[in-house]
Amino acid sequence: MSILTVMDASALLNAALECHRAGDVESAARFYEQVLALQPDNVDALNLLGLTLHQRGRDADAIAPLERAVAVQPGFAGAWLHLGTVLRRVNRPQDAARAYMRVAETAPASALGPMGLGQIAEFAGDRATAKRHYLDALAREPQHGGAHFALGTLLANDGDLRGGLDHVRQAIALDPAAPDHHLALATLLFVAGDSSGAIAAYRKCLDLAPGHLDAWASLIAALCAGNDAPAAQTALDAMKRHAQANDPRVDMAQGQLANLQGKPAAAIAALSRALRNMIGAAPDARLGDVARILGEQVHALDMVRRERIAAACDVLGTLLPLFDDFATADALFAAAAKLGRLRALKNRIAVSLYDPDLTLDRRKALHLDFGEKMRDGAAVPPVPWVRKAGEKIRIGYVSSDFRRHPVARSMRPLFAAADRERFAIHGYNLAFVEDELSREFAAMADGWHHLAARPDAELAQIVRRDGIDILVHVAGHFDENRTGLAWRRAAPVQVSLFDAATSGIAAIDYLIADRHLVPRHGNEFYAERVLRLPNLYIHPWLAEARTLAPRAANAPIVFASFSNPTKLNGRTLETWAQVLRAVEGATLLLGHARAMDEPEIRQRFQAHFTKAGIDPARIAVRPYVADLAAHLASYHGVDVVLDPFPFNGSTSTFEALSMGVPVVSLTGDTMMSRWSGAMLAHLGLDRCRAASVEDYVRVAAELAADIAWRNALRAGLPDRMKYSALVDERRWMHRLERAYRAFARRAIMRAT
C-alpha cells in the first residue's frame, strides 16, 4: 500500500467522522465506503459504516461490514457491540447474544456487554437471567445510568416496586436529562399510588421531550384515573399539537377522556379508530372482524403494540354492551386476554352478568376459565391459622370502592359498627385516588394501606405481614378490584362479599349471601361455600328521602327506570314495550346515569321503542342529576319503577323503595337477577315479583291500576324500609361477625 493511499484514506476517514458527528450520516457513509475502496480491512471504517447503516434503518445491510470488522480485529469491542445491536434488530437473538458475550469478554470494565445480554434475556421472558446480567453491568460500572434504569424497571415488573424505584431514581441522578428515566419513574409512582408524584414526573419528562407521545398518553391516563377531565383535556390538546395525523396514541387518549366524561359513543369511535389503525384494518372494518384479525396477528405483535391493542380491546369491551353488543364485547375481551391483559378476563366476567342470552352452563364455564387463568402461575400454600381461641381476630377488607361509590355506603358498617373487642379491622384500598370518604375509612381502621395497582404478590406480602386472619374481597368482579389476589392465599380464610356472582376461584372459602339471593338447591354454580345470612345489608337509610304525596286518581301512569343503561338490554326494552302496550296512555321515564345524556344512547332507546310500535312521545329521558336529593325528587311523579334483567337494580331499587314507589322485578336463576327480588321479599312485597316476562307485564299492569295500594305504599313503605333489616347495620354486623367467628372456629379445628 502506497503512502498516498494511506494519506487519502486518513483524510477520507476524518471527513467521514466530521459528517458523522454533524449528523449527516448519508455523507459519512459515502466517505466510509471510499475509505474501504482504498483499504478494505480498515476496521474503523467497517465499524462506522455498519453504524451508519443501522442509523438509517438498514440493519440487514449493516451486518456484513460489522462481521468483517470483528473478523479482521476479534478484540474490537465497539464493533461487536454494534453487531449485537443490529442482530437483535433483525430478530437473531442467539447470534446477538454471542456478540454481546464477546463485548463482555473484550471490554471487562464496560457495562454494555452485560446490558445487551440482559435485554435479550428480558425480551425472551427469562427475567432471572436478565437480572443477573444487569447486576453484572452495575458491578462493572456502578455509575451506569442505563443499567440502573434497566434493573429498576425489571425489579418493578417483578413486584419489587421499592427496589425498582430506588434504581430508577439512581438512573435519574446519573442522567437527569434522559426523558425515559422520568417516564419510568412516573409509571412506577403511579403504580405505587402516588398519583401527584407520577403526574409531576410525566410533566418533567415532557419538559425534556415535548414531543414524547408515550409520555403524553401516560399523563392523560393518569389524569383520567384521577377524574381530572379538564387537565386531561388540556394535555390532549397539547399532545395533538405534537402528533402526526391518525396516530393511534392520540385516539387512545381521546377515547379514555371521552369515557371519563360519560361520552361512550365518542369513546367507542376513538378507540375503534386506534384499534383499526394499530392492526392495519380498513377504517370501516367491523369490530368483530377486527377481533378475528387480532387472533391471526397476535404472535407477530411487539410488546408495546400488544399492550396498547389489549388496552383498547378491553375498554371497548366494557362500552359496547351500552349498545347491546355483547358478542363483539366478548370477542374483544378474549383478544385482550390472549394479548396478555389479565384484567380483561375480570371485565369479561363482569360484562357477562348483563348478557340476557348467556346460559347457566356458559356462565359456569366462563367463571371456571376465569378462576383458573387468574392463578397466573401462583401456587402459594395457604397461610396457617395461628390465632388462638379468644384472641382478637384480624379482618382485612380489600376493595377499590373505599371512595365516593355506592358500595362504600354498604361497607361503612364493616368499619363503623365493628365489635372492636373481638375484631381488628384493616383496609386495603385499591382505588387510584383517595377522597374524603377514603380518609374517613382510614380513620376508622386499625390498619390502612393505599395499594392502587400494586402487584398482587406485593399486596399479598403486606396482608401476610399484617397477620390478617380473614381476608374479605369486596365486590371483586367490578371496578379495580382483583379477586386474582386470592390465589396468593395471604390469609387462612378468604371471603367474597357484596359480589354479583361466584368468583370462580377455589381459594376463596366462603361467599356471603342470603336465602333469597342464593336459594338452596338453586342451579347457579359457586366455587365457594355459600353462607346464607337472614339478609344482606344494603345501604344506610337515605336521609334525603321524603314522603311522597298521593298520586291523583286521574293522573296518567308514569313508569320509570333510573338504572345503569348497560342493564337496559334489548330483551328488557322489549318487555317494557309490552308493558306500555298493556297500559294505555302510560309513559316511561329513563335517566339518572350520565350516559343517558348522550344523543346516541337516547337514539338507541327511541329506535327500539319505535320499532316496537311505541310512540316516541311516550318515552322521556331525564338529564343526569348529580345531587341525590334532587334525583330522589324525581320519584314524586313516578307510579311504578320497572327493574331491568338479568342484572337487576341495586341502588336504584333501594332508592325507589325508600321513596315509597313499588318496583316490578323479574326473579331469575342467577344471584344478580334476584337482587331486587331479595329486597322485595324482605319488605313483604312479593306482589311485585314476577316469575316470567308474561308475569312481569301482568304485575306492572296490575300495580298501575291499583292506585289505592300504591298510595298506601307511598305513605307507609318509607318507614317500613327505614326500620327494616336492610338498613339495620348493627343487626347486620352482629350476624356477619358471628359468621366470622364460625369461620375462625373451623380454621382452628383444621389447624389442630
Side-chain angles (χ1 to χ4, degrees), residues 108-166:
S110 171
L112 296 178
M115 281 286 294
L117 289 167
Q119 289 163 352
I120 290 173
E122 186 173 0
F123 187 79
D126 187 353
R127 307 180 71 79
T129 298
K131 180 179 178 180
R132 188 174 69 250
H133 286 308
Y134 293 147
L135 288 170
D136 181 20
L138 285 171
R140 295 166 184 245
E141 288 190 70
Q143 301 301 307
H144 195 286
H148 279 291
F149 173 75
L151 179 59
T153 55
L154 179 77
L155 291 173
N157 287 330
D158 282 346
D160 183 2
L161 190 59
R162 185 170 300 178
L165 279 166
D166 180 56

Side-chain angles (χ1 to χ4, degrees), residues 83-362:
L83 179 59
T85 300
V86 298
L87 288 170
R88 278 186 63 207
R89 292 289 293 270
V90 298
N91 199 27
R92 290 170 55 184
Q94 293 179 334
D95 293 331
R98 283 190 283 270
Y100 286 132
M101 288 176 67
R102 294 303 305 273
V103 177
E105 294 167 0
T106 55
S110 171
L112 296 178
M115 281 286 294
L117 289 167
Q119 289 163 352
I120 290 173
E122 186 173 0
F123 187 79
D126 187 353
R127 307 180 71 79
T129 298
K131 180 179 178 180
R132 188 174 69 250
H133 286 308
Y134 293 147
L135 288 170
D136 181 20
L138 285 171
R140 295 166 184 245
E141 288 190 70
Q143 301 301 307
H144 195 286
H148 279 291
F149 173 75
L151 179 59
T153 55
L154 179 77
L155 291 173
N157 287 330
D158 282 346
D160 183 2
L161 190 59
R162 185 170 300 178
L165 279 166
D166 180 56
H167 281 284
V168 169
R169 285 185 170 121
Q170 289 187 64
I172 290 173
L174 292 164
D175 190 1
D180 283 342
H181 293 182
H182 293 278
L183 178 58
L185 175 63
T187 301
L188 298 188
L189 289 172
F190 186 73
V191 168
D194 183 1
S195 56
S196 60
I199 289 169
Y202 285 132
R203 295 195 185 281
K204 178 62 178 177
C205 173
L206 290 165
D207 288 342
L208 295 167
H212 201 313
L213 295 186
D214 288 336
W216 281 116
S218 297
L219 172 62
I220 292 165
L223 292 168
C224 287
N227 296 319
D228 192 347
Q233 183 65 65
T234 300
L236 178 61
D237 293 340
M239 182 185 189
K240 289 178 178 179
R241 291 195 290 270
H242 294 284
Q244 295 181 347
N246 300 318
D247 191 300
R249 289 168 291 186
V250 174
D251 283 326
M252 284 283 291
Q254 194 162 316
Q256 288 174 313
L257 177 57
N259 192 27
L260 172 64
Q261 294 170 329
K263 300 176 179 179
I268 290 171
L271 292 167
S272 299
R273 284 196 306 271
L275 186 55
R276 294 185 184 104
N277 190 325
M278 286 187 285
I279 69 168
D284 58 349
R286 295 169 59 89
L287 285 176
D289 295 331
V290 169
R292 177 184 53 77
I293 294 169
L294 270 174
E296 299 167 357
Q297 291 188 355
V298 61
H299 298 297
L301 298 170
D302 61 59
M303 187 179 300
V304 173
R305 289 181 69 206
R306 285 168 74 98
E307 290 177 356
R308 289 177 182 155
I309 290 170
C313 289
D314 190 16
V315 179
L316 280 167
T318 64
L319 292 171
L320 288 173
L322 277 166
F323 296 89
D324 210 22
D325 191 352
F326 290 94
T328 303
D330 189 70
L332 290 171
F333 284 135
K338 195 172 183 179
L339 289 165
R341 190 174 175 90
L342 280 178
R343 68 171 293 161
L345 294 170
K346 179 178 76 73
N347 289 337
R348 183 187 198 185
I349 289 292
V351 164
S352 75
L353 300 174
Y354 296 84
D355 188 347
D357 297 318
L358 211 60
T359 65
L360 283 176
D361 286 343
R362 176 61 177 156

